[in-house]
Amino acid sequence: MQGLNEHTPLGHRILQIAQHAGVSDFYITPWERLVFKKNGELWYDSFVFQPMEQIPVTPGTVDYAMDLGGRRFRVNQLVTRGKMRWVMRLLPDRIPDISAVTVPPAAVKAFLEAKQGLFLICGPTGSGKSTTIASTVLYRAERRREHVVSFEDPIEYVYPDNLPSLISQREMGSDDHNFQSALRASLRQAPDVIIIGEIRDAETAEIALQAAETGHVVVATLHTSSASQTVQRFLKLITAERVASAQDTLADILCMVLCQRLFYDDRRDRRFAVHELLLKYDAVTNLIRRGEFKKLDQELETGSKKGMETFEKSLEQRMSEGWQPTTDFERSGFSEDEVQEYLRDQVKI
């Protein structure tokens, strides 16, 4: 937002609210009350945004990042019924330690030791995928001497400079204009790790496969809710004439699918993550190659000794650590049936 800073009434109020735990998003509309989201739930503030000048309506949407009073925000600009609106996502001051985001140890080990392959981090919007990727990549960058290239729209987390690894963060729009051509060009920039962001089309999916197959560690996201759904969704992005070949390639290079959801704990007034983790083993590779995707769920159930996890087991682990999911199903991130199944008699519903 042009002219917004910590000294303006709006900027000052946003920074006041941002100090409270659990605040994640702000919704700003001229001449309307400021709205913010705390622990996944909307709240209406008494503050009304009253711009000093007429704000021209610019059709379409724009994504960018901005700093406000030392805090970093991801901004999406949109138009609703002829009025401008901005959605500002508050980003943490620093990349959280990997222990704080409770990434499964087997997932951390697989990513740290990988020399090539595809790693997919999945979940719905707002489930913390970007945070998980940033924490995991930073953990590896602190322990290896590599070149990490990321493609972001916009850049959310800024990695520190004093790392053994060199990190090239590319923001679409300011650092490059065409995502696909920039991604292809990155293969000539001697990268070891490539962070793609979300895979949305056939060309990006093909480049991800090519990069992972030719000696790179590739990290990407999909908006899917389970490991088996992720594999199927990835292959649906591939063109029909290429899908058979791509399926064989995916079977060989897919190292991990980590799906993530968030629960809300009333007592701690915080959300916490639970995971489903699929790792690369012969049985998993063969199931993908044969197209028996539904059997991947069975492999998850029986693969706990190999480090794999189901959402149910992950939730049980979080509860053993003292986390208590709310029984308010809308805020929990799960459906009522899922909560009843996962919690069984551990929570009185």
Side-chain angles (χ1 to χ4, degrees):
M1 296 180 64
Q2 189 173 6
L4 179 64
N5 60 62
E6 62 269 30
H7 302 298
T8 61
L10 175 61
H12 179 70
R13 183 57 184 152
I14 287 174
L15 291 174
Q16 281 184 321
I17 298 172
Q19 294 176 14
H20 297 279
V23 172
S24 59
D25 298 274
F26 293 87
Y27 304 81
I28 302 159
T29 310
W31 306 108
E32 293 185 9
R33 293 164 65 187
L34 176 63
V35 182
F36 63 94
K37 187 174 284 187
K38 181 179 180 182
N39 292 318
E41 194 170 46
L42 280 178
W43 295 86
Y44 286 80
D45 191 49
S46 59
F47 179 88
V48 176
F49 174 38
Q50 303 178 53
M52 300 296 292
E53 301 176 355
Q54 183 70 27
I55 298 178
V57 176
T58 307
T61 62
V62 181
D63 288 303
Y64 56 95
M66 66 175 294
D67 290 308
L68 176 62
R71 303 300 302 270
R72 189 166 174 82
F73 293 82
R74 184 185 71 195
V75 185
N76 179 268
Q77 176 183 299
L78 66 140
V79 179
T80 170
R81 298 178 62 188
K83 297 180 295 185
M84 295 299 296
R85 178 170 291 164
W86 295 266
V87 181
M88 298 177 58
R89 165 65 58 87
L90 175 64
L91 301 173
D93 296 328
R94 61 180 182 83
I95 299 174
D97 186 84
I98 201 164
S99 61
V101 295
T102 61
V103 178
V108 177
K109 183 175 186 292
F111 182 68
L112 181 63
E113 296 178 353
K115 296 182 179 179
Q116 69 179 73
L118 179 61
F119 291 75
L120 297 175
I121 312 298
C122 309
T125 300
S127 60
K129 298 186 295 295
S130 296
T131 303
T132 294
I133 289 175
S135 297
T136 308
V137 169
L138 178 59
Y139 184 83
R140 177 172 174 132
E142 291 172 333
R143 290 160 176 79
R144 302 187 67 141
R145 296 183 178 275
E146 298 176 320
H147 183 205
V148 179
V149 181
S150 73
F151 297 88
E152 303 174 63
D153 187 18
I155 291 173
E156 296 188 20
Y157 292 95
V158 178
Y159 292 88
D161 294 324
N162 56 339
L163 296 172
S165 293
L166 174 66
I167 300 185
S168 301
Q169 290 187 264
R170 311 286 309 286
E171 183 168 272
M172 295 300 99
S174 58
D175 295 325
D176 216 310
H177 297 292
N178 185 285
F179 173 75
Q180 281 81 10
S181 62
L183 180 56
R184 286 196 181 280
S186 73
L187 300 180
R188 300 189 297 273
Q189 294 160 9
D192 299 289
V193 179
I194 301 173
I195 308 169
I196 292 178
E198 184 183 356
I199 296 179
R200 301 178 181 179
D201 52 54
E203 185 174 2
T204 306
E206 290 277 14
I207 299 172
L209 287 175
Q210 178 189 350
E213 192 177 24
T214 55
H216 307 89
V217 174
V218 179
V219 185
T221 71
L222 285 172
H223 286 290
T224 48
S225 58
S226 69
S228 59
Q229 184 187 70
T230 298
V231 174
Q232 294 175 77
R233 170 63 179 158
F234 186 97
L235 291 172
K236 283 181 180 179
L237 291 171
I238 304 295
T239 56
E241 61 272 16
R242 280 274 305 137
V243 70
S245 174
Q247 186 168 316
D248 285 339
T249 302
L250 182 63
D252 291 332
I253 58 92
L254 182 62
C255 292
M256 182 180 85
V257 178
L258 180 69
C259 295
Q260 182 166 303
R261 300 183 188 178
L262 295 179
F263 257 150
Y264 176 68
D265 188 327
D266 278 312
R267 301 171 308 162
R268 301 192 187 193
D269 195 26
R270 285 182 57 193
R271 292 186 290 177
F272 63 97
V274 295
H275 301 91
E276 181 176 86
L277 175 61
L278 181 73
L279 295 170
K280 180 180 177 66
Y281 285 98
D282 289 344
V284 172
T285 298
N286 292 333
L287 288 174
I288 295 174
R289 183 172 285 112
R290 295 196 298 265
E292 298 176 353
F293 307 122
K294 291 184 178 180
K295 291 185 178 179
L296 291 173
D297 293 330
Q298 300 173 14
E299 194 62 32
L300 283 168
E301 292 285 349
T302 60
S304 59
K305 291 183 179 179
K306 300 175 182 178
M308 290 191 268
E309 284 190 17
T310 62
F311 279 123
E312 181 179 0
K313 292 296 183 184
S314 179
L315 180 55
E316 290 175 358
Q317 176 62 32
R318 297 288 84 76
M319 292 181 68
S320 72
E321 295 167 355
W323 292 95
Q324 185 66 54
T326 179
T327 55
D328 181 341
F329 304 113
E330 292 184 359
R331 297 176 72 188
S332 71
F334 285 78
S335 71
E336 181 173 353
D337 289 342
E338 287 176 314
V339 173
Q340 288 176 333
E341 179 183 354
Y342 289 169
L343 302 187
R344 296 191 181 115
D345 60 346
Q346 298 180 66
V347 175
K348 294 181 180 179
I349 300 175

